[in-house]
Amino acid sequence: MQRTLSIIKPDGVSRGLIGEVVGRFEKNGIHIAGMKMIRMTQAQAEGFYHVHRNKPFFNSLTRFMSSGPVVVMALEGENIIEKNRKLMGATDPKNAEPGTIRRDFASEIEKNVVHGSDSPESATFEIGYFFNRFEIVS
Ligand code: UDP
Ligand code: MG
């Protein structure tokens, strides 16, 4: 059993895509172990994305991620990190496979609707960033 962090980014929430994204998880039999809507400050978004602090897109990304509410979810299941990344599609929607969330709903690399952890180590950090142990129901 593995866990991963999913975020419906501010563009996904403001465009009314919460149900669409959650529905794809449910249709694929993914267990949502934790879920809430929050709004980050830019400093909180910087802490979340600290691995990208030296990237040219860091400022714009953290401004975007703090621009409105997001839905954070802890997903649980076998091989869930990779499974979620497959459902999301490539970072740049232009390169994402048809039928993926990013290909179907995003049109630019920054505002690409969803986040998903990329490794067990980042999943542990990212879930712990938003959830305490009482907020995760296995
Ligand atoms: N991003 C961006 N420009 C880039 C690469 C990434 O604005 O050239 C943004 C995009 O929102 C992406 C996030 O930064 O989802 C984190 O980048 P990462 O490479 O970790 O992509 P992801 O894991 O989200 O597919
Ligand atoms: Mg990433």
Side-chain angles (χ1 to χ4, degrees):
M1 223 32 140
Q2 193 179 59
R3 285 179 185 160
T4 193
L5 184 84
S6 167
I7 305 180
I8 305 175
K9 295 184 178 186
D11 60 325
V13 173
S14 67
R15 291 170 58 205
L17 297 173
I18 296 173
E20 182 64 48
V21 174
V22 171
R24 287 182 183 218
F25 294 153
E26 290 184 333
K27 278 187 205 99
N28 282 277
I30 290 171
H31 175 61
I32 300 169
M35 174 157 78
K36 58 188 169 185
M37 187 159 78
I38 58 155
R39 179 168 180 176
M40 284 184 271
T41 63
Q42 189 165 0
Q44 288 165 339
E46 287 168 1
F48 177 74
Y49 275 123
H50 76 281
V51 294
H52 291 312
R53 64 193 171 280
N54 295 319
K55 304 271 173 62
F57 57 82
F58 184 68
N59 246 290
S60 177
L61 172 64
T62 55
R63 210 179 318 118
F64 162 56
M65 289 300 288
S66 57
S67 67
V70 299
V71 173
V72 290
M73 283 170 275
L75 308 179
E76 194 172 67
E78 211 171 294
N79 209 19
I80 190 65
I81 294 173
E82 196 189 324
K83 199 169 173 186
N84 180 45
R85 298 282 315 190
K86 281 224 171 78
L87 289 175
M88 289 163 59
T91 309
D92 186 342
K94 287 194 285 292
N95 302 326
E97 296 288 326
T100 62
I101 295 167
R102 284 167 164 173
R103 175 67 171 263
D104 288 353
F105 300 109
S107 51
E108 54 168 294
I109 191 165
E110 182 182 78
K111 295 176 180 62
N112 57 4
V113 185
V114 281
H115 166 85
S117 311
D118 64 2
S119 69
E121 295 71 35
S122 60
T124 299
F125 166 75
E126 292 176 358
I127 291 169
Y129 200 78
F130 295 115
F131 291 97
N132 70 44
R133 79 187 103 131
F134 306 109
E135 295 171 321
I136 308 270
V137 184
S138 271

